[in-house]
Amino acid sequence: MPDQKPPRRTVGARFQALYVRILLRLLPHLINLFRPVSPKIQAEVDYLESGYTFMLTVGGTRLACICRRTSKGTFKRIAPASLARDVEPGSGQPSADAQAATVDYVIAFRSLAYAFSCFTGGETLKDALAERAFSTRGPNNTGVSLTYMFTALLKMFFGWRAAYRTKKAVAS
């Protein structure tokens, strides 16, 4: 039935998609903002070589973020149109097109709900990985570095939330 419309997303799902979209858009800026403040983030960024590219995707959506480390140690977004189409992201294979960007590491969330849970601080990356909320592709050494960097970034970004919970628990 070609005229059948896809089911409409609920308001909650639309909010989750908007929230994840905003955080994916802000991701390179957040890394660059918190890098000078956090020795953990700085150490992990320093571990990654200039030109290192990673991608986050969310299954069932078109949400994605591709970031590349510059020679200055900062991260910048890469347009999806500039990705190499002849190699799979995270495969470690070079592209025949020298102008195309290849992705060194991929973090693929299985669903919007899992990505939202991690991006709101509701679930740690360690717990999400244990329940297979996301899959990865690429070399383990840089994957570990990215995981440590994201964990430190999320702790800094959501530190206010933990402080609020602690304050609320003490008050009751």
Side-chain angles (χ1 to χ4, degrees):
M1 300 194 165
D3 61 343
Q4 189 175 15
K5 293 182 182 178
R8 292 191 61 152
R9 290 190 297 173
T10 64
V11 173
R14 284 186 281 190
F15 172 76
Q16 287 180 356
L18 177 63
Y19 181 85
V20 170
R21 181 184 315 278
I22 290 170
L23 275 184
L24 288 176
R25 177 70 65 181
L26 291 175
L27 181 60
H29 305 294
L30 293 172
I31 295 169
N32 296 335
L33 177 70
F34 290 126
R35 182 178 58 103
V37 179
S38 169
K40 286 182 182 180
I41 293 174
Q42 181 65 51
E44 301 309 329
V45 168
D46 288 345
Y47 182 77
L48 304 172
E49 296 177 2
S50 177
Y52 181 83
T53 306
F54 69 88
M55 178 168 72
L56 283 122
T57 64
V58 180
T61 70
R62 294 188 325 191
L63 299 174
C65 176
I66 306 159
C67 297
R68 174 173 279 162
R69 185 177 186 266
T70 66
S71 58
K72 297 177 187 174
T74 59
F75 279 90
K76 69 174 189 168
R77 288 181 61 83
I78 300 293
S82 67
L83 279 182
R85 303 289 178 214
D86 59 341
V87 294
E88 190 168 343
S91 68
Q93 301 296 316
S95 173
D97 181 2
Q99 305 301 333
T102 57
V103 176
D104 298 304
Y105 198 80
V106 178
I107 299 172
F109 284 94
R110 290 178 50 200
S111 71
L112 178 60
Y114 284 132
F116 182 76
S117 181
C118 286
F119 290 175
T120 57
E123 184 171 29
T124 66
L125 290 176
K126 183 179 177 182
D127 292 340
L129 184 59
E131 66 182 59
R132 300 176 189 237
F134 62 91
S135 62
T136 60
R137 182 173 181 149
N140 283 339
N141 61 333
T142 57
V144 170
S145 181
L146 282 175
T147 303
Y148 287 157
M149 181 181 70
F150 287 140
T151 300
L153 183 65
L154 289 170
K155 282 182 181 179
M156 288 189 76
F157 192 67
F158 295 111
W160 62 269
R161 188 173 179 193
Y164 175 75
R165 284 185 190 161
T166 304
K167 226 184 244 187
K168 192 174 178 181
V170 170
S172 38

